[in-house]
Amino acid sequence: MNIIPIKAPFWVKWLFPHYIWDFDTKEHVLYLTFDDGPTPIITDWTLDLLKQYNAKATFFCIGNNIERHPEIFNRLKEEGHGIGNHTYNHPSGWKTRSDSYLSEVIKTQSCIENDAVMGPKLFRPPYGQITNSQGKTLRNLGYRIIMWDVLAFDWMDTISKETCYRNVITKATKGSIIVFHDSVKASKNMQYALPKVLKYFSEKGFEFRRIPE
């Protein structure tokens, strides 16, 4: 049974006010984010689709994938999407020593900055699992820790692609940060749900933007 809620509860946001869960806005704006790439074929497919809707997103990249697929990472930058840090090997902060965890983040940030990505340092913890001390250290180093308002649950093979789509359209509101994954594991659900999400909200007058700087 899945115990993680589709929409982040207000009390979680209240308990962790230093993390960014959504954006307070009256505009019809949504913030699509994609974790775990860049991934061959899937990330390119995602970028092609976003371009059709003139949509921008923020990609939280794994450092190891950046190094293995630099051409896809370059495309993310060239097409004006936001770039975030998602560690080098996707460890859980709850199960990793803080010094090792910090090394993962710094190593990935080096991959990002070596490619001259400008803007704020954005970080999303894998699985959403990060200790208070890890979070405080990263914030002191200038990272903005980006969590989420709505999870598509595209990575879960026990959830249908139709449910993945409904998760987003029934829970996302103005200023929501929405999580998808440009990964092999999530591709079946994501590649079904994302086109429908873009169409649904575009027809309602929403824009899709990268995380604000």
Side-chain angles (χ1 to χ4, degrees):
M1 182 180 68
N2 178 43
I3 62 173
I4 305 173
I6 299 166
K7 189 173 181 72
F10 75 92
W11 57 267
V12 172
K13 299 176 183 180
W14 179 81
L15 281 175
F16 300 99
H18 298 299
Y19 300 164
I20 298 171
W21 300 88
D22 54 21
F23 292 98
D24 185 11
T25 179
K26 294 181 180 178
E27 294 184 280
H28 282 67
V29 176
L30 294 171
Y31 299 94
L32 291 173
T33 65
F34 297 87
D35 290 1
D36 297 355
T39 307
I41 301 175
I42 298 164
T43 302
D44 283 315
W45 177 90
T46 302
L47 291 171
D48 289 343
L49 181 64
L50 293 174
K51 188 181 293 185
Q52 291 178 30
Y53 285 88
N54 194 28
K56 299 301 180 187
T58 304
F59 289 78
F60 288 89
C61 298
I62 293 174
N64 189 29
N65 286 343
I66 293 174
E67 291 187 339
R68 289 193 297 167
H69 310 295
E71 70 289 348
I72 308 175
F73 184 68
N74 287 336
R75 185 181 173 191
L76 291 175
K77 296 183 299 175
E78 291 167 358
E79 297 189 5
H81 298 286
I83 305 293
N85 186 322
H86 201 46
T87 73
Y88 192 82
N89 288 305
H90 206 269
S92 163
W94 295 351
K95 300 177 182 179
T96 307
R97 285 168 47 108
S98 290
D99 56 347
S100 298
Y101 195 75
L102 181 60
S103 294
E104 287 251 352
V105 178
I106 291 173
K107 186 175 183 179
T108 298
Q109 198 64 34
S110 178
C111 295
I112 293 171
E113 293 179 353
N114 284 345
D115 283 282
V117 173
M118 306 302 291
K121 293 192 294 186
L122 306 179
F123 176 73
R124 173 173 286 156
Y127 315 104
Q129 296 175 358
I130 185 170
T131 67
N132 287 335
S133 63
Q134 290 163 354
K136 183 177 181 180
T137 298
L138 290 173
R139 287 189 291 107
N140 287 340
L141 290 173
Y143 289 87
R144 300 174 70 194
I145 299 178
I146 310 297
M147 303 302 271
W148 59 80
D149 185 44
V150 176
L151 292 171
F153 284 103
D154 49 346
W155 75 92
M156 292 189 67
D157 55 13
T158 57
I159 287 182
S160 72
K161 57 188 182 181
E162 292 83 6
T163 297
C164 181
Y165 166 60
R166 288 195 298 271
N167 286 344
V168 178
I169 66 165
T170 60
K171 299 298 183 182
T173 56
K174 297 174 185 177
S176 286
I177 297 173
I178 302 165
V179 179
F180 281 101
H181 294 75
D182 54 329
S183 66
V184 172
K185 184 176 182 180
S187 61
K188 180 180 178 181
N189 284 344
M190 190 273 285
Q191 290 180 310
Y192 173 86
L194 183 60
K196 294 180 178 298
V197 165
L198 286 163
K199 182 175 186 294
Y200 177 87
F201 282 108
S202 293
E203 290 176 350
K204 292 184 175 297
F206 278 81
E207 293 181 30
F208 299 89
R209 299 179 187 170
R210 56 188 283 173
I211 299 291
E213 299 184 3

